[in-house]
Amino acid sequence: MFIGRKRELASLDRLYTSNKFEFTVIYGRRRVGKTALINQFIKDKKAIYFMGVESNAKQNLENFSRNIIEFETGIQAKTAFASFQAALEHVFQMAEKERLILAIDEYPYVARSSKSLASTLQLLIDRYKDSSQLLLILCGSSMSYMEDHVLAYKAPLYGRRTGQMKLLPFDFGDTCRYFKNFSEQDKALIYGAVGGTPQYLSQMNDRQSFEENIKNTFLNPASSLFEEPENLLKQEVREPALYNAIITAIATGASRMAEISIKVGEDTSVCASYLKNLVTLGLVQKETPYGEKASRKSIYAIADNMFRFWYRFVPENHSIIARRAADLAYKRIEPYLSDYMGKVFEDICQQYLWKLLLSDESPVQFKDLGRWWGTDPSTRRQTEIDIMGEQDRDHALFAECKWINENVDAEVLEKLAGRSQLFHYDHAHLYLFAKNGFTKGCIEQADALGNVTLVTYGDMLQNL
């Protein structure tokens, strides 16, 4: 089942209907749905689809040639073009007569095996761009290769592309649309466990409970998700052991560079290099307090929910899971789920606020959203604000997010109001988000203040 990606399909359709030469680059992490997007786009169009393999140039050229000949003649042939230049030039010439799509998936595999491929494409694009109606799509999962060898200023293909898209995981709204039968709470829990990566979502069964899904995947040695993070790291990096140690350190509470360095047992300079790569891969994010561009307060967090859930719960229960005691493993995990979901709920609330802004329903026209932490000068204690967003020097919003079973009381609202006073905005709007609801006292306090919006998780689902 194909869902979402409406904006991406619309962008590709705009390129397709121009009826002139177009060249777009699609890249993103593995499992994010790049191939599914391409196949959905080309399914009713004249297109040659070729997926590179991690092999030598000869095998890739033979496979590419077969794809071209089969498209042109409908016959599976064993002959091959003499070179990639000959094969590509033939495709460019075919597209002089009609609109044609050439999609090269896993382009880095092909380009690494044929060092001159990028220069050959550059030559042919320059030669045929005014006469050919080819829509060329280069797609790749190796983020660093696509950015350095296709998109970068010094790359041979720089300046030739007419479009590009970095494919990201689904947001919470699209994830909910994927699952029709989960309960409201299980939709959030599933998103917290696997995020919005399509391939991981496809392994969830919305006719079963969250508990049953976790037992069948993360807590099942026969499931691909049981070993997915480690397998993915082996595909992406050269020294997976150290990367694994760094992610484990972050998942178990180390957030600052010095803390990570101590847990891993490596110098901060070494950790910094590895963390930079993890950020590029989209697995880790570097955060600074809202409004501070460079700060010693910077912390690191796992950005991908599946990695965060796996590293938080699977390694410490590995021996139990290996003995197929999924029930026991889940019993050990369950008490910590509410605390784990706190950060996930903050992310969902941020997405909700962005939806309000984009639909012109937000009381504050903020430029960005983020978390803030620092020292409260009145108490000299560390404090934080879950979400903060500034419109200008006079207007801002502040939000607190509570994923707890109890109704949120007035004390939580009072604390949020107090923390908003650490900043000097003439107009501050407060948001209080709750998993279930609010006490009567909290509702009365919000009415009295007049600048407060109370939102339950159930209300949010209606607008995501």
Side-chain angles (χ1 to χ4, degrees), residues 133-330:
Q133 299 179 58
L134 183 69
L135 168 50
L136 173 63
I137 300 174
L138 298 187
C139 177
S141 299
S142 175
M143 305 274 279
S144 58
Y145 190 95
M146 296 300 287
E147 290 173 347
D148 295 342
H149 297 277
V150 180
L151 301 172
Y153 176 74
K154 293 182 179 179
L157 293 171
Y158 181 82
R160 272 78 183 174
R161 70 184 184 276
T162 57
Q164 69 182 60
M165 61 179 71
K166 182 178 182 180
L167 214 59
L168 300 173
F170 290 143
D171 63 15
F172 182 58
D174 277 336
T175 301
C176 289
R177 283 182 278 278
Y178 191 92
F179 298 115
K180 304 294 184 184
N181 300 306
F182 276 133
S183 67
E184 288 187 350
Q185 181 168 318
D186 278 359
K187 286 178 180 178
L189 289 169
I190 288 290
Y191 183 71
V194 297
T197 301
Q199 187 163 324
Y200 306 148
L201 293 171
S202 69
Q203 297 181 50
M204 301 294 116
N205 183 349
D206 65 356
R207 296 192 180 278
Q208 296 179 337
S209 67
F210 170 77
E211 178 179 343
E212 290 172 309
N213 274 286
I214 297 304
K215 289 178 181 177
N216 292 336
T217 53
F218 289 95
L219 308 184
N220 176 10
S223 165
S224 63
L225 274 181
F226 178 65
E227 295 182 338
E228 172 68 3
E230 292 177 332
N231 288 337
L232 196 59
L233 281 178
K234 288 174 185 176
Q235 294 178 45
E236 295 287 357
V237 299
R238 292 179 181 175
E239 298 177 74
L242 185 50
Y243 284 100
N244 189 61
I246 289 172
I247 298 173
T248 300
I250 298 172
T252 53
S255 59
R256 299 182 187 278
M257 180 68 76
E259 297 169 345
I260 296 168
S261 174
I262 291 170
K263 272 205 171 186
V264 172
E266 294 284 352
D267 291 342
T268 54
S269 59
V270 174
C271 290
S273 175
Y274 283 74
L275 281 165
K276 183 179 179 181
N277 291 338
L278 287 170
V279 170
T280 301
L281 288 171
L283 301 178
V284 168
Q285 61 187 16
K286 183 179 181 181
E287 295 181 280
T288 55
Y290 184 88
E292 299 182 29
K293 292 183 179 179
S295 172
R296 291 183 178 179
K297 300 176 187 175
S298 294
I299 61 173
Y300 292 88
I302 298 177
D304 179 86
N305 283 352
M306 189 279 291
F307 268 71
R308 184 167 170 260
F309 187 90
W310 193 95
Y311 278 93
R312 172 64 183 84
F313 295 119
V314 172
E316 67 181 29
N317 292 293
H318 194 280
S319 297
I320 297 172
I321 299 168
R323 287 166 174 77
R324 300 187 179 277
D327 290 341
L328 177 57
Y330 188 82

